[in-house]
Amino acid sequence: MRFVIALAIMVLSPTLAFAHTGVGDAMGFAHGFGHPLGGLDHVLAMVAVGVLAAVLGGRALWLVPLSFLAVMVLGFGVGLTQVNLPFVELGIALSSVVIGIAATLRRPLPVAAAIALVGTFAVFHGYAHGAEMPATTDGLGYAAGFLAATALLHLAGLAATLGLVNLTGRHARLLSRIAAGTIALGGAGLLAGWL
């Protein structure tokens, strides 16, 4: 997974853009791309969304991550207004725990419930991106950057889980739940201050 993230950063890196006009746009993208990757709480939550989508399968494979991205844009807009949204850090920290637990359940969630669940947490993540955007950064480039990084992290969770399923055959369901439980434990560790 680290290799995929490093490769994505290299490919999407705007270093060559300094030779062209629009340097501010390129820097906005770079700042936005780096923001979700800058904290373990964000990374765990984004990967957890992909794991949940993979565990649910079917239409959830694309609906769950896309709904997260869409609602995160709304949260970003609220964050830009500097309206006070309570419990943002707690919402971000709880997201990997709750989404990870949802992926470990024996009875899968209906797709609509999974969309509502990830959407709730997407508001907090989007708000953090908007509230923490540097004042001198291009907003559209920044939004494109954090959306790209978030989508790649969702894809990493999806790909890792589906790859695990293909490799392990009959043990796939158990191992997928163990992976989701590990993400939830990581989130709990962040909440408790252990990580």
Side-chain angles (χ1 to χ4, degrees), residues 158-169 171-179:
L158 264 166
T161 304
L162 294 176
L164 185 65
V165 166
N166 287 335
L167 287 174
T168 59
H171 301 294
R173 184 167 284 212
L174 172 65
L175 291 174
S176 296
R177 288 187 173 138
I178 290 170

Side-chain angles (χ1 to χ4, degrees), residues 1 5 36-37 42-43 46-47 50 148-158:
M1 183 167 98
I5 292 170
L37 303 175
H42 286 285
V43 172
M46 299 310 109
V47 172
T150 299
L152 285 172
L153 289 169
H154 291 336
L155 186 60
L158 264 166

Side-chain angles (χ1 to χ4, degrees), residues 56-100:
L56 295 178
R59 295 179 325 148
L61 288 172
W62 59 275
L63 281 174
V64 170
L66 284 179
S67 64
F68 187 97
L69 292 168
V71 176
M72 190 170 66
V73 169
L74 296 175
F76 173 68
V78 174
L80 287 176
T81 66
Q82 297 298 316
V83 170
N84 187 25
L85 181 66
F87 308 113
V88 172
E89 291 303 320
L90 181 60
I92 290 170
L94 282 174
S95 60
S96 58
V97 176
V98 175
I99 296 169

Side-chain angles (χ1 to χ4, degrees), residues 38-56:
L40 186 57
D41 51 352
H42 286 285
V43 172
L44 285 175
M46 299 310 109
V47 172
V49 169
V51 171
L52 176 62
V55 166
L56 295 178

Side-chain angles (χ1 to χ4, degrees), residues 101-161:
I101 289 171
T104 64
L105 296 176
R106 289 211 179 273
R107 292 188 187 133
L109 289 171
V111 174
I115 288 170
L117 176 70
V118 300
T120 299
F121 291 111
V123 170
F124 295 112
H125 286 271
Y127 181 89
H129 292 309
E132 297 172 10
M133 183 178 82
T136 59
T137 301
D138 168 56
L140 288 177
Y142 183 81
F146 75 72
L147 287 170
T150 299
L152 285 172
L153 289 169
H154 291 336
L155 186 60
L158 264 166
T161 304

